[in-house]
Amino acid sequence: KTMKELNILATATREQERYLLRFLNGYGEFKGSGFRDVVLGRVEEIDAFLRTLENLREENPIKLNPLSQIVPLEKTFLFDLSDFKDKLKEILSSYVDRIENKKFYLRVKRRGHKGEISSLEVEKEVADFIMGSLEKAGKKAQVSFNDPDCILIVETIGNWAGVGFITKDMKEKYSLIRIK
């Protein structure tokens, strides 16, 4: 699979990456990311995959011990340092309609580019851009870290990034989606 087609980022509990890969490969195609305890993969149907994990958690929670969290991804892209923010803004502007009249926040989790990309700086600049886009379109939304309706999550691994759109409903339904 090309990096572009990936739709799941999973984090292993400490030192459990090998077990996690073995476990997840029963449900899709997964591989290490090059960063400790972070694996990337593709499943056919994200909701079905999440439901399966949730059922397993209820029946036999010990099976999920190697798994710390899951981030379902809707879009992925490759970037250079010089165009990261611009590409991110372009991709996230397609979410404007989905966050209209909602409380949301943007979370950027950077792996790689230490000292070159500041997650906080990117979060602030891109969230301001999104708010500006809403305003221009005569729409409203509210940045809120307390009880948001949705979260835009951006996970970077080197020069690759994945974007997820996590709703309150998803977080309630699937305990493995733990975006802080």
Side-chain angles (χ1 to χ4, degrees), residues 147-161:
D147 197 31
D149 300 308
C150 49
I151 302 165
L152 283 166
I153 173 88
V154 179
E155 299 268 2
T156 73
I157 297 202
N159 284 16
W160 175 90

Side-chain angles (χ1 to χ4, degrees), residues 9-41:
L9 180 142
T11 314
T13 37
R14 209 168 164 69
E15 307 302 324
Q16 298 286 305
E17 184 178 332
R18 272 199 1 257
Y19 300 104
L20 181 61
L21 278 170
R22 198 174 308 144
F23 168 72
L24 289 176
N25 274 314
Y27 303 98
E29 288 178 57
F30 286 84
K31 60 182 198 283
S33 67
F35 286 83
R36 193 177 53 220
D37 298 332
V38 179
V39 304
L40 293 166

Side-chain angles (χ1 to χ4, degrees), residues 2-16:
T2 64
M3 290 285 273
K4 223 169 169 43
E5 296 169 329
L6 300 170
N7 61 7
I8 298 287
L9 180 142
T11 314
T13 37
R14 209 168 164 69
E15 307 302 324
Q16 298 286 305

Side-chain angles (χ1 to χ4, degrees), residues 70-84:
I70 291 273
V71 181
L73 303 170
E74 292 186 353
K75 298 180 181 200
T76 62
F77 64 99
L78 295 168
F79 65 89
D80 294 315
L81 275 177
S82 59
D83 66 8
F84 175 57

